[in-house]
Amino acid sequence: MANGDGTAVVNSWNEWDTLREVVVGSADGACYEPTEPGNRPQVRDRPDEPFPTGPKPPEVIAKANEELDRLAEVLESRGIVVRRPAPYDFSQPLRTPHFGVENQYCAVCPRDVMITVGNEIIEATMSRRARYFEYEPYRHLVYEYWESDPRISWTVAPKPTMASAMYREEFWTWPLEERHRRMHQSEFCVTQDEVVFDAADMNRFGRDIVVQESMTTNRAGIRWLKRHLEPRGFRVHPVHFPLDYFPSHIDCTFVPLRTGLILTNPDRPLREDEVALFTENDWKLVEAPEPVLSNSEMPTHCQSSKWLSMNVLSISPTTVICEEQEAPLHDLLTDMGFEVLTVPFRNVFEFGGSLHCATWDIRRDGTAEDLFP
Ligand code: ABU
């Protein structure tokens, strides 16, 4: 089955071309993220208080779902096909030969797990135990797309053991000076022994894929992506943001908005020797304004930073959806010529992301452009 224009139903090469079909996450069945070697969730500003475990309260889930459903309505009102994850019981504990975990997490952030690279769907290895099976709520969609057109390929990246040896537990207790000392070595909570990556550490720029080395993506993960994608005509560029001591997912740090324009995080500059790739190819880097919420004003159980403010969803090279209270960002984008649509989304924050995280694009217009010739 192809589209009217002959392209495959799964077809997306960058983060900004006109969006035609997208998956929006769901908070149904969501649980609190458990403490594990790859994650030390904390109650905001009260690190000594025990972090809750098990299912999130129904009212917390209902409020997030209301905002996710509203996003889906806005997208549909723009003619975009919206798909949703299947129900999944995240309260089930997991036991594998290598680890056990008391519950799983949620299907709010498909972007963390799934990525469309051209006509290929890739399921990431993931980096945390509670997210090991997080691809499952999307499998019905993957099968449907894969069956629909032989041009669509589907790759499951190698699953790491997530055994204790895969993690560097002492990472969580390093004092700031130790982090600073190690910042150029990019040593985080995952070691380099197994292939590890979350899909949300990648940005797509046509033939070029930018991958952040982070707490959730290691150098072996980037090597795997290079060896998988480069023979298929892509170029994979590792990037680093050395002032981010807890990096996880690039979409609150480096956000391409249209050809030639990237929204950047003023607290997390790109490593100096990596800037040239962009500036020498005429890309303008524009700093995002200070978020409306400070870190301490973020929701109590939210593990993400205030920079969820810049986790926007582009639905075309001229239209961006932003969280409704981020007025300074709306003004910046409007001044740069964008149409800004807004939706309330703060009740989704404690589920790990904002608008970009909570979506996975299946189809956008456009082709494999060479934007870094
Ligand atoms: N999942 C996106 C969170 C990134 C950040 O906290 O900056």
Side-chain angles (χ1 to χ4, degrees):
M1 187 181 69
N3 283 311
D5 63 0
T7 55
V9 174
V10 173
N11 183 75
S12 180
W13 301 88
N14 61 38
E15 309 290 336
W16 61 85
D17 272 338
T18 301
L19 186 62
R20 303 293 180 187
E21 181 158 341
V22 71
V23 177
V24 172
S26 160
D28 288 349
C31 288
Y32 288 102
E33 52 206 295
T35 296
E36 51 167 305
N39 192 15
R40 287 273 177 96
Q42 288 187 342
V43 180
R44 198 162 285 266
D45 290 337
R46 297 197 299 275
D48 296 330
E49 203 171 291
F51 197 76
T53 55
K56 293 205 183 231
E59 61 279 10
V60 171
I61 290 180
K63 279 187 186 165
N65 272 339
E66 210 175 291
E67 295 184 348
L68 289 157
D69 293 348
R70 172 80 189 122
L71 171 65
E73 279 165 23
V74 169
L75 292 164
E76 281 168 346
S77 76
R78 293 280 169 143
I80 298 163
V81 176
V82 175
R83 310 298 303 272
R84 305 302 294 269
Y88 185 87
D89 181 4
F90 291 98
S91 70
Q92 293 172 91
L94 289 187
R95 172 148 299 281
T96 78
H98 303 288
F99 69 83
V101 71
E102 68 263 41
N103 61 257
Q104 301 172 61
Y105 187 32
C106 67
V108 172
C109 293
R111 187 80 60 179
D112 296 358
V113 192
M114 311 293 296
I115 186 164
T116 303
V117 184
N119 303 129
E120 179 176 17
I121 292 171
I122 301 179
E123 294 175 11
T125 70
M126 303 311 286
S127 53
R128 293 178 183 169
R129 294 171 173 177
R131 309 192 75 177
Y132 195 86
F133 287 111
E134 212 173 288
Y135 59 86
E136 286 204 353
Y138 311 106
R139 271 283 170 92
H140 67 297
L141 297 171
V142 175
Y143 267 106
E144 180 192 313
Y145 295 132
W146 181 74
E147 295 284 12
S148 74
D149 189 327
R151 289 173 296 176
I152 295 169
S153 55
W154 166 26
T155 300
V156 179
K159 276 289 185 199
T161 61
M162 299 197 186
S164 299
M166 199 185 99
Y167 299 96
R168 190 183 282 116
E169 284 236 48
E170 67 279 14
F171 166 84
W172 297 103
T173 51
W174 285 342
L176 213 58
E177 309 77 64
E178 177 81 355
R179 283 180 198 289
H180 195 78
R181 198 174 62 73
R182 292 182 186 246
M183 75 187 183
H184 291 300
Q185 296 155 21
S186 300
E187 286 180 13
F188 304 111
C189 52
V190 287
T191 61
Q192 300 300 330
D193 304 339
E194 297 191 52
V195 169
V196 176
F197 69 92
D198 280 8
D201 277 314
M202 279 183 262
N203 271 327
R204 298 158 308 148
F205 294 78
R207 286 191 55 197
D208 292 275
I209 310 290
V210 165
V211 192
Q212 167 182 234
E213 191 180 343
S214 70
M215 300 196 302
T216 42
T217 294
N218 65 5
R219 290 190 283 283
I222 298 175
R223 274 202 307 283
W224 185 88
L225 285 163
K226 249 182 182 299
R227 287 199 208 165
H228 178 74
L229 290 169
E230 294 199 341
R232 291 164 172 77
F234 294 93
R235 292 174 293 231
V236 173
H237 308 275
V239 290
H240 302 84
F241 301 90
L243 293 185
D244 188 358
Y245 296 138
F246 294 92
S248 161
H249 305 164
I250 197 167
D251 51 0
C252 291
T253 301
F254 204 68
V255 177
L257 293 172
R258 65 179 176 223
T259 303
L261 183 65
I262 299 170
L263 190 64
T264 63
N265 181 323
D267 287 354
R268 304 173 182 169
L270 179 60
R271 205 168 78 185
E272 242 166 63
D273 58 314
E274 293 169 347
V275 173
L277 171 70
F278 301 94
T279 50
E280 285 175 7
N281 285 288
D282 296 329
W283 286 75
K284 196 168 161 201
L285 308 185
V286 175
E287 285 188 356
E290 191 56 30
V292 169
L293 291 182
S294 67
N295 274 327
S296 59
E297 290 166 327
M298 293 289 279
T300 314
H301 296 116
C302 172
Q303 302 304 298
S304 305
S305 73
K306 63 183 181 181
W307 293 107
L308 284 184
S309 63
M310 60 186 283
N311 192 256
V312 299
L313 177 67
S314 292
I315 60 167
S316 81
T318 54
T319 305
V320 181
I321 309 185
C322 297
E323 207 288 322
E324 76 174 4
Q325 298 193 51
E326 290 300 329
L329 181 60
H330 308 164
D331 293 346
L332 174 80
L333 294 173
T334 306
D335 288 348
M336 291 192 298
F338 289 97
E339 174 193 19
V340 176
L341 307 181
T342 65
V343 288
F345 225 61
R346 284 188 179 174
N347 289 301
V348 178
F349 285 6
E350 75 160 76
F351 295 77
S354 190
L355 295 144
H356 191 258
C357 300
T359 51
W360 159 34
D361 28 294
I362 301 299
R363 189 167 70 259
R364 291 183 184 262
D365 291 350
T367 54
E369 277 185 275
D370 188 350
L371 301 168
F372 298 84

